């Protein structure tokens, strides 16, 4: 004989359903809390990695500056084989895979695009040198022309240098008009933003990521005009820089140089070219460097923080950090 009424059975059913709903809600809330906790933990780990990585990168940066300073004090030449040119590795521990590892590059061993404009004028000899380098690297004529135009547009330049040379020396009046006697002395303002790195050329039509990778070992952009360092320049850059120097002859010079016969001064470099017909006054190749790029990283497990920095070395103090970029 049944003692439960239909109402009691219904109430028990509702109680079970309510209990299940409450359990589901609690499970959702708990899952949300767990997800937020996991996200918070990961964010905390990422921030901790960023702070620790930045500190290690600063340590690597200071070590690089000291290496460059010591090299200048010990040897007037800037050449491969010196401590700055070797990989920089700070020893790790059981908890840290690599506090810092990096490499300094001599930027004056590359073609400096800033040299395309000198004394507020387009340097035609440097333009021809860049074209010769691009020919060796397989860069299309139209693309290299656009690169030159982009560089020139980024710096002040005189609209008519011939008028400046011919202008009367005694007349300094400038009315502000184009017909003023001193109007030719006013440089044309840049029409494009100044370039800091090769990556800034991405906006140039025809310049692709692959092309930038091709140019990177041979081309740089520095804040000022520079001479090429014959002791660190590659054979393609030397062949492009010196009119009439074949790539084969440049490769032979580089092999001889890297074998320990460094260029001890500019005269030594010119003599070893064996090109008596060359106008050496226009060949701006030296044997020292003031500009270097540091690329490095700090690694912890699968995570890493990367650093890129441009350093300028002077004779009286530690190299300055012109700019630096940190990324995870």
């Amino acid at each position: 004989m049944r003692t439960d009424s239909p109402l009691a059975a219904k109430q028990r059913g509702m109680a079970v359903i309510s209990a299940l709903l409450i359990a589901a809600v609690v499970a959702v809330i708990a899952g949300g809390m767990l997800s937020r906790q996991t996200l918070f933990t990961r964010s905390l780990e990422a921030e901790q990695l960023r702070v620790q990585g930045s500190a290690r990168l600063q340590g690597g940066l200071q070590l690089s500056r000291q290496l460059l300073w010591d090299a200048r004090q010990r040897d007037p030449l800037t050449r491969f084989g010196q401590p700055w040119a070797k990989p920089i590795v700070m020893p790790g521990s059981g908890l840290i895979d690599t506090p810092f590892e990096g490499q300094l590059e001599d930027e004056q061993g590359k073609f400096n695009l800033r040299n395309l404009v000198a004394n507020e004028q387009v340097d035609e000899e440097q333009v021809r040198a860049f074209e010769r380098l691009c020919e060796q690297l397989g860069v299309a004529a139209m693309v290299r022309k656009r690169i030159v135009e982009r560089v020139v547009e980024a710096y002040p330049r005189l609209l008519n240098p011939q008028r400046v040379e011919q202008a009367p020396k005694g007349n300094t009046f400038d009315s502000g008009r184009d017909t003023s006697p001193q109007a030719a002395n006013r440089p044309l303002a840049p029409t494009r933003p100044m370039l800091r790195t090769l990556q800034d050329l991405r906006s140039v039509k025809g310049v692709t990521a692959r092309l930038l990778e091709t140019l990177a070992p041979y081309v740089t952009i520095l804040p000022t005009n520079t001479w090429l360092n014959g002791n660190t320049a590659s054979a393609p850059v030397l062949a492009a820089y010196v009119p009439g120097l074949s790539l084969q002859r440049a490769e032979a010079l580089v092999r001889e140089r890297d074998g320990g016969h460094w260029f001890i001064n500019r005269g030594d470099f010119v003599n070893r070219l064996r090109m008596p017909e060359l106008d050496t006054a226009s060949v701006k190749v030296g044997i020292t460097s003031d500009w270097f790029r540091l690329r490095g990283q700090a690694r912890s497990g699968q995570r890493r923080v990367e650093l890129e920095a441009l350093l300028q070395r002077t004779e009286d103090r530690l190299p300055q950090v012109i700019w630096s970029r940190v990324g995870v």
Side-chain angles (χ1 to χ4, degrees), residues 169-195:
K169 301 298 182 181
N171 191 342
T172 60
F173 175 71
D174 187 355
S175 67
R177 298 181 179 181
D178 293 339
T179 55
S180 170
Q182 291 297 316
N185 291 331
R186 294 198 308 268
L188 190 67
T191 57
R192 301 290 296 277
M194 186 174 293
L195 302 165

Side-chain angles (χ1 to χ4, degrees), residues 238-258:
L238 281 176
Y241 228 79
V242 180
L245 180 64
S246 68
L247 180 59
Q248 293 74 17
R249 176 58 186 152
E251 290 172 343
L253 278 173
V254 168
R255 285 194 299 269
E256 180 183 5
R257 177 198 71 188
D258 294 348

Side-chain angles (χ1 to χ4, degrees), residues 61-109:
L61 183 58
Q62 297 307 315
L63 175 59
S64 301
R65 296 174 67 201
Q66 190 65 49
L67 287 172
L68 291 173
W69 171 256
D70 292 343
R72 169 63 65 86
Q73 304 308 305
R74 295 175 182 175
D75 193 340
L77 303 180
T78 302
R79 56 178 179 81
F80 295 127
Q82 294 174 331
W84 68 264
K86 301 176 182 178
I88 303 170
V89 179
M90 298 174 65
S93 66
L95 299 178
I96 302 173
D97 295 334
T98 308
F100 180 82
E101 60 180 357
Q103 180 71 61
L104 281 163
E105 301 175 18
D106 181 7
E107 292 299 282
Q108 283 187 241

